[in-house]
C-alpha cells in the first residue's frame, strides 16, 4: 500500500544551479521508477544557515518534498542519497508517524 512521506534533504551550498536541478530530477526519476509519486515541494526553503557545521559547511540548500510511496521507494531514495556526495543530510518520515 502507498503511504505519504515527507523527505527533507540538504544539498551542499556550492553546487552549480544545473547540478541542483539534475540532482532533483534524478530523485524524481527514482520516485517514479520505484513505485512512488511526487506530490510537491514545500515553499520557502532554499539556502539557509545550518544549525551546526556539517563537513565544514555553515550553510546548505534545504528542500522538503512530499511523495507517495512504498518501502522500496524509500529504500532506494535512501540508498542513492547516501552514495551521493552532493547531500549533507536527509531524512524521510512517514506522514502518519508525525
Amino acid at each position: 500500500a502507498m503511504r505519504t512521506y515527507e523527505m527533507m534533504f540538504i544539498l551542499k551550498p556550492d553546487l552549480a544551479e544545473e547540478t541542483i536541478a539534475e540532482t532533483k530530477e534524478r530523485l524524481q526519476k527514482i520516485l517514479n521508477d520505484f513505485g512512488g509519486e511526487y506530490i510537491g515541494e514545500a515553499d520557502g526553503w532554499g539556502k539557509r544557515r545550518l544549525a551546526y557545521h556539517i563537513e565544514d559547511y555553515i550553510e546548505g540548500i534545504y528542500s522538503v518534498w512530499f511523495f507517495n510511496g512504498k518501502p522500496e521507494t524509500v529504500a532506494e531514495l535512501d540508498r542513492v542519497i547516501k552514495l551521493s556526495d552532493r547531500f549533507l543530510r536527509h531524512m524521510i518520515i512517514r506522514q502518519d508517524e508525525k
Side-chain angles (χ1 to χ4, degrees):
M2 287 262 237
R3 292 184 182 275
T4 304
Y5 293 88
E6 179 180 319
M7 173 168 70
M8 185 279 295
F9 56 92
I10 308 172
L11 290 163
K12 291 181 175 176
D14 50 10
L15 296 174
E17 283 296 324
E18 59 266 27
T19 306
I20 294 165
E22 178 200 299
T23 305
K24 289 184 173 185
E25 279 168 27
R26 180 150 187 232
L27 292 178
Q28 297 230 17
K29 184 174 184 337
I30 292 160
L31 264 176
N32 294 331
D33 289 352
F34 285 80
E37 56 186 22
Y38 175 74
I39 299 172
E41 186 165 8
D43 289 336
W45 292 84
K47 198 174 277 190
R48 293 255 179 120
R49 206 174 168 79
L50 301 169
Y52 49 88
H53 288 217
I54 307 175
E55 295 177 27
D56 294 334
Y57 288 100
I58 57 166
E59 294 185 313
I61 300 163
Y62 282 75
S63 290
V64 176
W65 283 14
F66 301 97
F67 68 92
N68 291 326
K70 303 170 185 159
E72 54 267 32
T73 321
V74 174
E76 184 62 12
L77 285 167
D78 249 341
R79 189 184 75 77
V80 168
I81 290 171
K82 281 179 184 146
L83 287 173
S84 169
D85 61 0
R86 297 174 180 180
F87 296 83
L88 292 175
R89 282 281 180 282
H90 82 287
M91 192 168 59
I92 303 174
I93 305 162
R94 233 171 64 191
Q95 288 290 88
D96 57 9
E97 286 177 348
K98 290 180 79 178

